[in-house]
Amino acid sequence: MENLGYYNGSFGLIEDMKIPMNDRVCYFGDGVYDATYTANHLIYSLDDHVDRFFNSAKMIGIPIVPSKKDLKNLLQEMVNKVDSPEQFLYWQVTRGTAIRNHAYPESDIPSNLWIMIKPGSIKDIYQKFKLITVEDTRYFHCNIKTLNLLPNVMASQKAAEAGCDEAVFHREDRVTECAHSNISILKNGVLRTAPLDNLVLPGITRGHLLHFCRQNGIPVDESPFTLNDLMDADEVIVTSAGALCIAASEIDGFPVGGKAPDLLNILQKSALKKFQQETGAL
Ligand code: PLP
């Protein structure tokens, strides 16, 4: 198959799938999701993404029907059906199907499981990103990977219109994360990244980056940093499942980073090595 849509046991081409109008995602975005990439039909960091998926669902009280093991098997089964060996693999769970009402429906209504797979590959790790800064107007549940993504979508559109790759969110002076990535900086040999509070998604790739730092003796400082710190950083690093460790060269039209290429290279090599080891990708 060219691509794949899955909904509660039925699957087919995405464009042929039909979803009930009363799925609570339609009215409220009432659900959580996760996503990663494949290469050679092997799923990158599946355990980490499935663990976070179950945590996100638990945080908003959505029961997931399959066990973690069964979900992983199902995802692999669906990945195997898609022709392209390199895929973007996305899945979500929503709080069931019920007539529109803000409060949760009866608890015996089962949640809905969705999977979406399209051809896609991780970005070239050695490219340089151009970024813009955008006031973070999101709410205070950014640690939960919910489907309420309107401010992220608006910020991404603003970045695209500016010819940029990502939008960096800040709350007044404090840098939080990006529209669909985390952001970290290298300064004087130390990697700084926002702490994991309710303003930031606990990115799986962010976690890997911190692990690579520790492996390579690079100190890590998980305390808030500012827009000034960002502009003045030795390197600015964007991380996500699709952008494993990509440095920025420009923010709001001003040059940034480029002052610690050796440290950056160590982290990029580590990220690529992990991806290659898990997927066999070249
Ligand atoms: N922050 C936000 C808001 C995101 O949407 C994402 C990815 O979707 C990330 C960070 C990076 O998370 P991960 O590394 O798990 O892909």
Side-chain angles (χ1 to χ4, degrees):
M1 296 172 73
E2 280 163 49
N3 64 41
L4 183 144
Y6 170 103
Y7 187 76
N8 288 341
S10 310
F11 63 88
L13 288 174
I14 298 169
E15 43 274 38
D16 297 338
M17 296 299 288
K18 301 263 185 298
I19 304 303
M21 183 168 169
N22 273 339
D23 186 308
R24 282 176 62 89
V25 76
C26 303
Y27 303 122
F28 304 114
D30 190 356
V32 297
Y33 74 103
D34 224 292
T36 182
Y37 283 78
T38 75
N40 294 316
H41 286 102
L42 295 173
I43 306 170
Y44 182 55
S45 289
L46 181 60
D47 289 351
D48 290 343
H49 285 276
V50 166
D51 284 349
R52 181 176 61 187
F53 180 61
F54 273 74
N55 278 340
S56 300
K58 194 169 164 203
M59 278 190 275
I60 61 168
I62 297 184
I64 298 176
V65 176
S67 65
K68 284 186 184 178
K69 186 165 171 269
D70 288 347
L71 176 61
K72 287 180 213 174
N73 288 339
L74 174 65
L75 291 169
Q76 186 62 61
E77 203 186 308
M78 294 301 132
V79 161
N80 293 344
K81 292 184 189 302
V82 175
D83 304 331
S84 168
E86 298 192 351
Q87 306 163 12
F88 173 65
L89 166 64
Y90 172 102
W91 63 100
Q92 64 184 29
V93 64
T94 62
R95 198 187 307 278
T97 308
I99 202 82
R100 187 178 187 279
N101 184 40
H102 280 67
Y104 301 170
E106 298 299 325
S107 57
D108 55 356
I109 290 180
S111 58
N112 297 324
L113 183 64
W114 308 49
I115 302 170
M116 188 278 285
I117 303 176
K118 60 177 186 176
S121 34
I122 60 163
K123 295 193 165 80
D124 170 14
I125 206 167
Y126 296 117
Q127 70 179 287
K128 297 284 183 190
F129 269 2
K130 287 185 187 172
L131 311 176
I132 56 164
T133 56
V134 175
E135 182 70 38
D136 192 344
T137 55
R138 298 174 303 163
Y139 58 176
F140 295 104
H141 302 287
C142 301
N143 52 323
I144 310 173
K145 204 162 167 60
T146 77
L147 296 166
N148 306 119
L149 291 173
L150 188 57
N152 309 57
V153 168
M154 289 162 64
S156 297
Q157 177 62 18
K158 211 168 164 188
E161 284 170 10
C164 290
D165 302 284
E166 247 294 22
V168 185
F169 282 134
H170 58 96
R171 296 202 188 229
E172 298 188 340
D173 211 21
R174 179 185 160 180
V175 175
T176 52
E177 58 179 335
C178 295
H180 44 86
S181 332
N182 293 104
I183 189 159
S184 307
I185 56 175
L186 282 167
K187 184 70 185 176
N188 298 332
V190 176
L191 186 114
R192 297 189 64 185
T193 196
L196 291 185
D197 56 17
N198 63 339
L199 305 182
V200 167
L201 185 82
I204 300 301
T205 325
R206 171 194 179 280
H208 295 163
L209 184 71
L210 300 194
H211 176 69
F212 303 142
C213 285
R214 293 186 180 111
Q215 266 183 341
N216 288 284
I218 301 170
V220 169
D221 176 1
E222 288 180 80
S223 59
F225 64 89
T226 66
L227 283 171
N228 271 347
D229 295 329
L230 180 71
M231 301 309 288
D232 190 38
D234 293 338
E235 297 289 351
V236 173
I237 299 174
V238 173
T239 56
S240 70
L244 296 182
C245 182
I246 296 188
S249 59
E250 194 182 301
I251 301 180
D252 292 335
F254 296 101
V256 293
K259 290 180 230 127
D262 294 344
L263 279 187
L264 173 66
N265 199 254
I266 289 172
L267 295 173
Q268 289 180 321
K269 283 218 164 87
S270 304
L272 271 185
K273 191 170 156 202
K274 181 170 166 58
F275 187 80
Q276 285 161 352
Q277 277 171 346
E278 287 187 29
T279 62
L282 291 178

